């Protein structure tokens, strides 16, 4: 569907290629082999499937809105559109005639807020829609208004549905249902694909790779800092260490003493750094969203998992990461201290 996420929990997308557009979040076959399909026939084929629990179709057109230069995308829904998978920033999804939802950029461009009414016009026809929710949507430059077909029938009565999202009944095998649906919709020129077949965005892959690389670099730098500190500390304490070894301290005990000397500061650093990192995350991420003209949903900011117990466990594990980094950085100088001969160290002193 244009600008929406396909359902991934047992869903499929049926598409007709009247305009040659693929559905974001789905994969499609070669365009040369796809003939234009009649949306009514595709819809009938979906209804005929016994595995279909619910479905909805979408079509996109352009209308005019006061305060917005040029055409404004209008995504029209028909069917059970409650399960679109759209993430709400505030308010709710439309549920009655005359209601609509829009992203932050549209609200900023029109000066409207959730609860206000906007007027959509097409030639000499107009429709007033109440904005009941703000959605997180960066498609169509963040300007797409979404509403039920009945709400905009008076201005765009002939909009054609070109994407259908199907929610399968529980217990149904997705692969078998997809094969059966494709058998039917291909007869009328449509294509059915599973949302699980979608390819991950290249931008997302690059961003995840960059984040992983930066995280690894930060860990390496932290370990090198610990290494430098422990090397200096060990050299300064070489006399004390050799005295302990002369009194019977084993190499294993020497290593243990060197590691425990950095474990406590590492634990303190982790305990302080993790809350600061979480606070910085909740400060920077919304700011990044606002700089691009949108609001980041709370669900995308609270990434540590649901439930206070899960959050506490994750925070404890992250705090223990400070101990792991400290011990990793201290291993080399601790081994050097354990291998240093007593007589040689005292002569050096």
């Amino acid at each position: 569907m244009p600008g929406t996420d396909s359902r991934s929990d047992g869903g499929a997308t049926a598409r007709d290629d009247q305009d040659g557009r693929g559905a974001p979040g789905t994969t499609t076959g070669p365009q040369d082999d796809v003939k234009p399909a009649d949306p009514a026939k595709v819809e009938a084929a979906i209804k005929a499937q016994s595995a279909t629990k619910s479905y909805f179709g979408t079509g996109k057109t352009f209308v005019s809105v006061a305060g917005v230069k040029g055409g404004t995308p209008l995504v029209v829904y028909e069917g059970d559109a409650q399960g679109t998978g759209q993430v709400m920033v505030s308010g709710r999804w439309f549920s009655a005639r005359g209601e609509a939802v829009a992203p932050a950029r549209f609200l900023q461009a029109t000066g409207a807020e959730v609860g206000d009414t906007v007027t959509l016009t097409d030639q000499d026809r107009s429709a007033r829609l109440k904005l009941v929710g703000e959605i997180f949507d960066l498609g169509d430059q963040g300007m797409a208004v979404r509403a039920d077909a009945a709400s905009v029938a008076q201005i765009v009565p002939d909009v054609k549905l070109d994407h259908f999202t199907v929610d399968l009944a529980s217990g149904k095998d997705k692969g078998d249902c997809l094969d059966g649906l494709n058998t039917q919709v291909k007869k009328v020129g449509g294509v059915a694909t599973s949302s699980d077949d979608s390819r991950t965005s290249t931008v997302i892959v690059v961003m995840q790779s960059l984040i992983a690389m930066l995280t690894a670099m930060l860990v390496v730098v932290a370990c090198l800092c610990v290494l430098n500190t422990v090397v200096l500390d060990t050299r300064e304490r070489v006399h004390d260490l050799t005295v302990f070894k002369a009194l019977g301290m084993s190499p294993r005990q020497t290593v243990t003493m060197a590691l425990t000397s950095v474990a406590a500061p590492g634990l303190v650093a982790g305990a302080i750094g993790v809350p600061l990192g979480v606070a910085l995350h909740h400060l920077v991420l919304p700011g990044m969203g606002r700089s691009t003209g949108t609001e980041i949903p709370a669900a995308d900011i609270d990434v540590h998992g649901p439930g206070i117990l899960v959050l506490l466990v994750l925070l404890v594990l992250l705090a223990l990461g400070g101990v792991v980094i400290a011990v990793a950085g201290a291993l080399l100088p601790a081994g050097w201290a354990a291998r240093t001969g007593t007589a040689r160290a005292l002569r050096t002193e």
Side-chain angles (χ1 to χ4, degrees):
M1 287 181 300
T4 64
D5 294 328
S6 300
R7 297 294 300 273
S8 59
D9 51 345
T13 298
R15 176 179 63 83
D16 73 65
D17 252 353
Q18 298 182 63
D19 56 2
R21 291 176 298 169
T26 63
T27 56
T28 60
Q31 303 299 318
D32 295 340
D33 299 332
V34 180
K35 299 179 180 179
D38 182 355
K41 293 181 179 180
V42 175
E43 187 173 3
I46 293 174
K47 288 181 178 179
Q49 296 298 308
S50 60
T52 299
K53 177 182 178 182
S54 62
Y55 74 95
F56 63 89
T58 61
K60 187 169 72 172
T61 185
F62 289 86
V63 295
S64 298
V65 180
V68 179
K69 184 178 179 180
T72 298
L74 172 63
V75 181
V76 180
Y77 289 77
E78 189 173 285
D80 184 13
Q82 294 296 324
T84 61
Q86 288 286 346
V87 178
M88 302 301 301
V89 176
S90 63
R92 58 177 176 83
W93 187 256
F94 60 82
S95 58
R97 186 168 183 173
E99 296 180 344
V101 296
R105 287 184 181 177
F106 176 85
L107 299 179
Q108 295 169 3
T110 57
E113 298 179 353
V114 174
D116 292 346
T117 300
V118 295
T119 302
L120 310 183
T121 59
D122 184 34
Q123 297 180 1
D124 58 345
R125 301 183 297 266
S126 64
R128 290 175 58 83
L129 299 179
K130 181 180 180 180
L131 299 175
V132 296
E134 177 187 339
I135 60 174
F136 180 64
D137 180 19
L138 301 180
D140 293 306
Q141 298 182 345
M143 294 297 294
V145 180
R146 301 173 186 273
D148 186 77
S151 301
V152 294
Q154 55 185 328
I155 59 172
V156 284
D158 57 347
V159 63
K160 293 186 177 181
L161 307 180
D162 55 12
H163 292 92
F164 295 85
T165 297
V166 181
D167 188 13
L168 302 179
S170 59
K172 300 294 184 179
D173 183 79
K174 182 183 296 185
D176 294 341
C177 295
L178 184 62
D179 292 339
L181 182 58
N182 238 327
T183 301
Q184 297 300 320
V185 298
K186 281 185 176 180
K187 295 179 181 178
V188 294
V191 177
T193 59
S194 170
S195 56
D196 290 344
D197 296 334
S198 60
R199 295 181 178 180
T200 304
S201 170
T202 304
V203 176
I204 299 298
V205 172
V206 172
M207 291 179 62
Q208 290 176 341
S209 302
L210 182 61
I211 290 172
M213 182 179 66
L214 291 176
T215 301
M217 290 177 60
L218 288 174
V219 171
V220 171
V221 169
C223 290
L224 291 176
C225 290
V226 174
L227 172 64
N228 179 66
T229 302
V230 177
V231 166
L232 295 177
D233 181 68
T234 302
R235 289 188 176 278
E236 290 176 356
R237 298 173 56 193
V238 65
H239 182 272
D240 297 335
L241 290 174
T242 52
V243 170
F244 291 149
K245 293 177 71 174
L247 294 175
M249 177 180 282
S250 66
R252 179 175 298 178
Q253 290 174 326
T254 303
V255 172
T256 302
M257 184 181 70
L259 296 183
T260 53
S261 67
V262 298
L267 181 61
V268 173
I272 296 175
V274 168
L276 288 178
V278 172
L280 188 62
H281 168 79
H282 282 72
L283 178 65
V284 172
L285 201 59
M288 292 173 61
R290 286 191 292 270
S291 67
T292 60
T294 187
E295 295 291 336
I296 305 296
D300 292 335
I301 296 178
D302 299 329
V303 296
H304 297 96
I308 187 65
L309 181 60
V310 175
L311 178 60
L312 288 176
V313 171
L314 287 173
L315 293 181
V316 169
L317 292 176
L318 288 173
L320 292 177
V323 179
V324 174
I325 292 175
V327 171
L331 280 175
L332 287 177
W336 171 80
R339 292 190 301 270
T340 301
T342 303
R344 178 183 176 185
L346 292 176
R347 283 198 302 271
T348 303
E349 281 289 304

